[in-house]
Amino acid sequence: MTAVAELPRHAQPSQFPTLDDVLLLGGIELTRLAERVGRTPFYAYERSHIVSRVAQLRRALPEGVRLHYALKANPMPALVQLMAGLVDGFDIASGGEMRVALDAGMAPGRVSFAGPGKRDEELRCAVAAGVLLHLESEREMERAACIGAELGMTPRVAVRVNPDFELKMAGMKMGGGPRPFGVDAERVPAMLQRLERLGLDFHGFHIFCGSQNLSAAAICEAQRRSVELGVRLADHARAPLRMLNIGGGFGVPYFPGERALDLAAVAEGLEQSLGLLRQASPDTDLVLELGRYLVAEGGIYVCRVLERKRSHGQTFLVTDGGLHQHLAASGNFGQVIRKNYPVAIGNRMHAAATETVSVVGPLCTPLDLLAERMELPRAEAGDLVVVFQSGAYGLTASPTAFLSHPLPLEVLV
Ligand SMILES: *Cc1c(COP(=O)(O)O)cnc(C)c1O
């Protein structure tokens, strides 16, 4: 078995071991796995990878921090089921995710529901189930109260706050300045008074600043300021602050030159933020909600080379997978500058990179690109192309109906 560090340069970053010249996933050789799955393309997620990722994070985090999984990153039911036994709660953002979360056996009291546009039907299901609503507007609060009255139940609620600061260096900012998410911090005190009059069961605050951040310093600063803001706003509530969800946004490296997040530095900052919270409000649960960080590196996308062709001096590998199934790897999921995800020829892991090729999908658009002029071993029709870092924001973040190809399979091994 070969260590990660010995993988060919073009295949980095990857955490999967190789045996001879094939990739191993859950101890199964890639070509064997492809046979077992029966067709390409497919996504494969590795249980042991996810389990050890969560364990590693738990070891690093200060005692008492609650860890939630955000289903948005990967809602595959089998994976969510695995997660249910590993984390302290789930964060959901739709009625569909709520069903997956509850079907996986997570206690409704440990599920929280954010999202700026919740339908009445979704609010009704959440209140009936006892899921914690992260209220994103004053109007949503009124609607939740009406639904609670109809059902004869008291909705459990937290207020999602649009913070009065921004997360520096985040890949995707979701707080600070004008945002459709949450309630502007300065309006929260008035909202809390109304919330109390409506008789809602207040639990605390949710402050989510952004996603895909690789800077420990920026994350620590955002977490500290989130705790300060939460503590400050809690002064305006009569009920105690039971829960403070300070988001997460921990990033993973996708592109050359990106370095993995310094978890020890994040943990140190979090220890201080937790200290601040304990001083002000000793019984408050501090919640971190992570999606990508827990699952992105534990998954791959596998497609097969259909055609190898030349055009004006360039070589193209045309595969059966592409943008319609992995939008993020094509560079069209919020990226400003297109960069290549780590890609390898999965059944030729140890072959030297001898040619520069572009890996494209079957769609009739130039956007359908999985690797642009990348150095790879020579590949032929039938070879397996692997896209690493594909465990989060893969299949469900892709326009699968575009061009009416069949859906890829997903396996957890
Ligand atoms: C998207 C999202 C997450 C998950 O973000 P990751 O970058 O996958 O960790 C968590 N919380 C909220 C509110 C989100 O919108």
Side-chain angles (χ1 to χ4, degrees), residues 143-189:
R143 289 165 61 212
C146 279
I147 285 167
E150 273 168 38
L151 294 174
M153 297 179 77
T154 306
R156 303 169 64 247
V157 300
V159 175
R160 180 164 179 186
V161 182
N162 176 26
D164 44 12
F165 57 87
E166 276 196 13
L167 175 58
K168 293 187 188 114
M169 300 169 76
M172 212 174 274
K173 287 190 174 60
M174 288 179 65
R179 301 283 168 189
F181 311 109
V183 177
D184 293 347
E186 57 273 23
R187 289 215 308 271
V188 170

Side-chain angles (χ1 to χ4, degrees), residues 228-291:
E228 287 167 358
L229 178 60
V231 165
R232 185 152 39 89
L233 290 174
D235 278 347
H236 297 273
R238 187 121 20 107
L241 182 67
R242 280 181 272 176
M243 181 282 299
L244 181 60
N245 178 327
I246 59 170
F250 296 11
V252 301
Y254 287 98
F255 309 119
E258 286 186 341
R259 296 241 311 272
L261 183 64
D262 180 352
L263 201 51
V266 171
E268 204 181 303
L270 193 56
E271 185 88 56
Q272 289 174 16
S273 295
L274 187 63
L276 278 179
L277 180 65
R278 291 275 175 270
Q279 240 174 8
S281 184
D283 298 322
T284 304
D285 281 332
L286 189 69
V287 177
L288 277 190
E289 53 173 7
L290 297 174

Side-chain angles (χ1 to χ4, degrees), residues 1-9 11-12 18 349-350:
M1 205 175 277
T2 312
V4 175
E6 292 169 47
L7 280 179
R9 182 173 44 86
Q12 296 284 3
T18 59
M349 287 304 286
H350 282 181

Side-chain angles (χ1 to χ4, degrees), residues 323-326 395-408:
L323 166 159
H324 55 314
Q325 297 175 352
H326 201 333
L395 182 56
T396 60
S398 301
T400 51
F402 190 39
L403 270 95
S404 306
H405 286 283
L407 283 174

